[in-house]
């Protein structure tokens, strides 16, 4: 049994719906189908989720923006009419939106979650109706019926362990199961959405719960590339990489597959295959527990922006018991999560996402560090980007770090920090944001010389 997820671009229009139906029909093992909300039909288009967020922002105590409401309806109406489905579907779509607004009007967070989830929920109902119109035995399965029991924090749902035995029961239902991605239900009965990459997360959870043979993730690219095509023309395609490699690359900005979506399938070692809805015959990229190393120590390079570094110096810091614990306790108290903590004998830096230091948060954190840790020097370095060089073969190869520093020097990128985990699957370099594109290009050419467009 396979679980297959279709992203927003894959279900953006009636034309895309037809491609999805053909893909499902081509393999009888594709039993559980996870759908996102309709995405962009063209570059200037607006995603349905963004339309729903606009609608949520317009809801007042007694009314809402009618134009925003009609904008959402229009997205589904276009699909329903072009596929020649029963017009009663639109009555259901409109009624569902009114119900969510009425239910959660008094809570902005709950309303936002409820309306965002509607994008996937309504799309799953339309997809079910379309598959049925083609003579397929298809059943819409709500996340509540599927057993998607989650925590109750709006916008940050986490699946609970007791959900998996409930999900396993879906194996007994005949035919194709169409399940909306992106959200679950809390014990309190609330709709709660997952964080970014939510439909990917749903697909991974369902795959783990059903003990699937494979989790197929259909998107709009033929495969995962070793570096972003936005930075390098025709980069090398990857035919296989490990969970650890994908986790490192996804963390550092690979948008094809979000890092949190891997967790449910890793434990059961369920392979993931990223494929193209528009070219389903393409082999795609498989993400697996382990792979044969082919002599290529580096498999990918990723980068991400939006970081800052809190740098502190204190003489004899290395002899002060509890310094690191106290520092991290301050961050915890202030609700700031850290990414990396490079250190020396008398200095320490904490790398954080810049968006966390808002509404006076930065001043509070710095004041507490000064007062409670009595540091000699303290300052914040902004506009940093992190570049990750990733590969399972790096720990067996001499000279990987020297090549990286050579490439960064050639790019004229000043290295702000270097960090390597104990697993030696990745090396991270901090550089200024304005240097990141040149740095990535230089790293690509030194690790993948004269191999444009080939596969790894």
């Amino acid at each position: 049994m396979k679980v297959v997820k279709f992203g927003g671009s894959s279900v953006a229009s009636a034309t895309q719906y037809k491609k999805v139906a053909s893909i499902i029909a081509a393999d009888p093992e594709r039993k559980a189908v996870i759908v996102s909300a309709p995405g962009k039909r063209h570059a200037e288009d607006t995603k349905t989720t963004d339309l729903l967020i606009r609608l949520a922002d317009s809801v007042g105590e007694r009314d809402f923006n009618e134009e925003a409401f009609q904008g959402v309806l229009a997205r589904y109406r276009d699909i329903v009419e072009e596929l020649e489905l029963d017009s009663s579907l639109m009555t259901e779509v409109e009624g569902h939106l009114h119900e969510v607004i009425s239910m959660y009007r008094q809570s902005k967070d709950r309303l936002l979650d409820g309306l965002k989830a509607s994008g996937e929920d309504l799309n799953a109902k339309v997809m079910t109706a379309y598959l049925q119109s083609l003579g397929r035995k298809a059943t819409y399965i709500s996340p509540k019926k599927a057993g998607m029991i989650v925590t109750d924090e709006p916008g940050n749902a986490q699946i609970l362990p007791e959900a998996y035995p409930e999900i396993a029961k879906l194996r007994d239902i005949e035919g194709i199961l169409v399940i909306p991605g992106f959200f679950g239900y809390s014990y309190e009965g609330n709709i709660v959405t997952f964080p970014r990459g939510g439909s990917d997360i749903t697909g991974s959870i369902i795959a783990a719960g059903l003990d699937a043979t494979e989790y197929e993730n259909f998107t709009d690219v033929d495969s995962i590339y070793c570096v972003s095509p936005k930075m390098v023309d025709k980069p090398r395609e990857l035919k296989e990489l490990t969970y650890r490699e994908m986790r490192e690359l996804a963390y550092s900005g690979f948008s094809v597959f979000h890092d949190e979506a891997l967790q449910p399938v890793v434990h059961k070692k369920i392979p993931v295959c990223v494929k193209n809805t528009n070219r389903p015959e393409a082999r795609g990229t498989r993400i697996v527990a382990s792979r044969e190393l082919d002599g290529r120590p580096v498999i990918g390079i990723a980068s991400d922006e939006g970081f800052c570094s809190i740098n502190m110096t204190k003489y004899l810091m290395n002899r002060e018991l509890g310094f690191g614990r106290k520092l991290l306790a301050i961050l915890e108290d202030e609700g700031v999560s850290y990414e990396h903590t490079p250190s020396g004998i008398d200095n320490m830096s904490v790398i954080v996402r810049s968006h966390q230091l808002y509404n006076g948060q930065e001043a509070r954190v710095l004041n507490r560090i000064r007062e409670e840790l009595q540091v000699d020097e303290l300052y914040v370095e902004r506009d940093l980007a992190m570049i990750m060089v990733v590969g399972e073969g790096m720990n067996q190869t001499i000279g990987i770090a020297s090549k990286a520093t050579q490439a960064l020097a050639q790019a004229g990128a000043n290295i702000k920090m270097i960090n390597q985990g104990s697993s030696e699957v990745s090396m991270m370099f901090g550089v200024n944001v304005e240097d990141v594109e040149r740095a990535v290009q230089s790293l690509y050419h030194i690790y993948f010389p004269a191999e444009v467009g080939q596969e790894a």
Side-chain angles (χ1 to χ4, degrees):
M1 177 192 297
K2 293 181 180 179
V3 170
V4 53
K5 175 257 177 181
F6 292 96
S9 62
S10 301
V11 289
S13 65
T15 299
Q16 293 300 101
Y17 258 61
K18 293 173 183 177
K19 294 177 184 177
V20 167
S22 296
I23 289 169
I24 295 169
D27 188 346
E29 287 294 302
R30 291 172 176 145
K31 178 178 175 66
V33 176
I34 315 300
V35 295
S36 297
K40 290 186 177 183
R41 294 161 291 190
H42 48 80
E44 292 74 32
D45 201 11
T46 303
K47 295 179 180 179
T48 303
T49 301
D50 292 334
L51 295 174
L52 287 161
I53 292 171
R54 188 182 304 168
L55 174 60
D57 290 341
S58 78
V59 174
E61 289 187 8
R62 292 187 176 85
D63 59 4
F64 52 80
N65 186 293
E66 184 64 27
E67 183 180 351
F69 188 85
Q70 292 300 324
V72 175
L73 292 183
R75 286 306 308 270
Y76 292 100
R77 185 179 295 112
D78 288 348
I79 295 172
V80 168
E81 290 181 353
E82 190 170 340
L83 294 176
E84 299 180 347
L85 299 177
D86 194 314
S87 60
S88 64
L89 271 172
M90 288 311 302
T91 303
E92 184 175 355
V93 169
E94 186 169 358
H96 175 94
L97 294 175
H98 278 298
E99 182 182 353
V100 171
I101 291 172
S102 176
M103 183 184 305
Y104 292 123
R105 187 188 292 273
Q106 302 306 317
S107 171
K108 281 294 184 182
D109 287 344
R110 297 294 183 191
L111 176 65
L112 183 60
D113 260 17
L115 284 177
K116 285 195 301 182
S118 297
E120 279 72 12
D121 200 30
L122 294 171
N123 216 28
K125 292 175 181 177
V126 175
M127 179 62 73
T128 303
Y130 178 54
L131 293 173
Q132 290 172 346
S133 76
L134 298 176
R136 307 299 303 275
K137 185 175 179 59
T139 305
Y140 161 78
I141 305 290
S142 76
K144 181 175 287 186
K145 182 177 179 181
M148 294 285 289
I149 309 165
V150 299
T151 55
D152 199 40
E153 181 184 355
N156 192 36
Q158 305 294 317
I159 197 71
L160 294 174
E162 54 266 38
Y164 289 103
E166 296 301 313
I167 295 169
K169 296 176 184 177
L170 297 177
R171 296 181 70 94
D172 299 330
I173 302 175
E174 293 184 4
I176 300 166
L177 313 180
V178 184
I179 306 169
F182 193 31
F183 72 102
Y185 281 83
S186 68
Y187 276 119
E188 291 78 6
N190 292 314
I191 296 169
V192 193
T193 61
F194 292 111
R196 63 179 192 144
S199 292
D200 288 342
I201 294 173
T202 297
S204 188
I205 290 168
I206 296 295
L210 294 178
D211 204 12
T213 55
E214 187 172 69
Y215 170 31
E216 293 181 313
N217 193 295
F218 278 84
T219 179
D220 55 4
V221 295
D222 281 354
S223 62
I224 296 172
Y225 298 95
C226 67
V227 69
S228 170
K230 295 179 181 178
M231 291 190 175
V232 174
D233 185 40
K234 296 180 181 179
R236 170 182 289 274
E237 295 182 11
L238 302 177
K239 63 180 180 182
E240 192 172 68
L241 67 164
T242 66
Y243 298 133
R244 291 200 303 177
E245 290 169 332
M246 187 69 245
R247 164 77 171 100
E248 299 280 1
L249 292 169
Y251 162 79
S252 305
F254 267 40
S255 59
V256 173
F257 203 80
H258 292 291
D259 50 352
E260 291 183 44
L262 280 177
Q263 184 179 2
V265 296
V266 167
H267 178 67
K268 292 197 171 183
K269 298 183 178 180
I270 296 170
V272 178
C273 189
V274 177
K275 294 176 71 69
N276 190 347
T277 304
N278 303 310
R279 277 183 15 99
E281 71 278 5
R283 179 167 51 184
T285 300
R286 284 174 61 80
I287 308 170
V288 294
S290 62
R291 64 179 179 88
E292 288 188 15
L293 302 182
D294 57 1
R296 302 179 190 277
V298 172
I299 197 169
I301 303 161
S303 63
D304 199 10
E305 302 177 6
F307 295 91
C308 65
S309 177
I310 303 173
N311 304 318
M312 64 214 76
T313 301
K314 185 175 186 181
Y315 190 62
L316 297 180
M317 180 190 291
N318 65 314
R319 296 189 186 179
E320 183 174 333
L321 292 176
F323 184 92
R325 175 182 56 78
K326 293 173 186 175
L327 171 61
L328 297 183
I330 291 172
L331 295 179
E332 182 181 3
D333 289 346
E334 297 297 335
V336 177
S337 62
Y338 71 95
E339 306 290 328
H340 310 279
T341 55
S343 64
I345 57 172
D346 290 332
N347 54 72
M348 188 172 185
S349 298
V350 180
I351 311 297
V352 302
R353 299 272 181 178
S354 301
H355 67 79
Q356 296 185 93
L357 303 180
Y358 64 97
N359 290 342
Q361 194 83 319
E362 179 179 324
R364 289 196 300 273
V365 169
L366 296 183
N367 286 336
R368 288 192 60 183
I369 291 173
R370 287 191 189 97
E371 294 172 5
E372 298 175 31
L373 300 181
Q374 296 293 300
V375 295
D376 300 325
E377 186 179 3
L378 178 66
Y379 65 97
V380 177
E381 194 167 8
R382 309 178 195 282
D383 298 324
L384 297 180
M386 297 296 146
I387 300 173
M388 192 82 81
V389 177
V390 177
E392 293 279 2
M394 287 170 50
N395 64 349
Q396 302 173 18
T397 307
I398 296 172
I400 295 297
S402 65
K403 277 191 174 183
T405 54
Q406 177 189 343
L408 294 173
Q410 290 173 351
N414 185 25
I415 300 174
K416 297 293 184 177
M417 62 156 280
I418 301 175
N419 195 18
Q420 183 170 27
S422 58
S423 66
E424 297 187 46
V425 173
S426 66
M427 289 185 301
M428 176 168 281
F429 300 89
V431 301
N432 291 321
V433 166
E434 61 265 26
D435 297 332
V436 68
E437 187 166 345
R438 294 195 316 275
V440 168
Q441 291 168 349
S442 186
L443 286 164
Y444 175 76
H445 290 300
I446 205 164
Y447 287 122
F448 303 96
E451 296 179 354
V452 174
Q454 297 182 29
E455 291 185 344

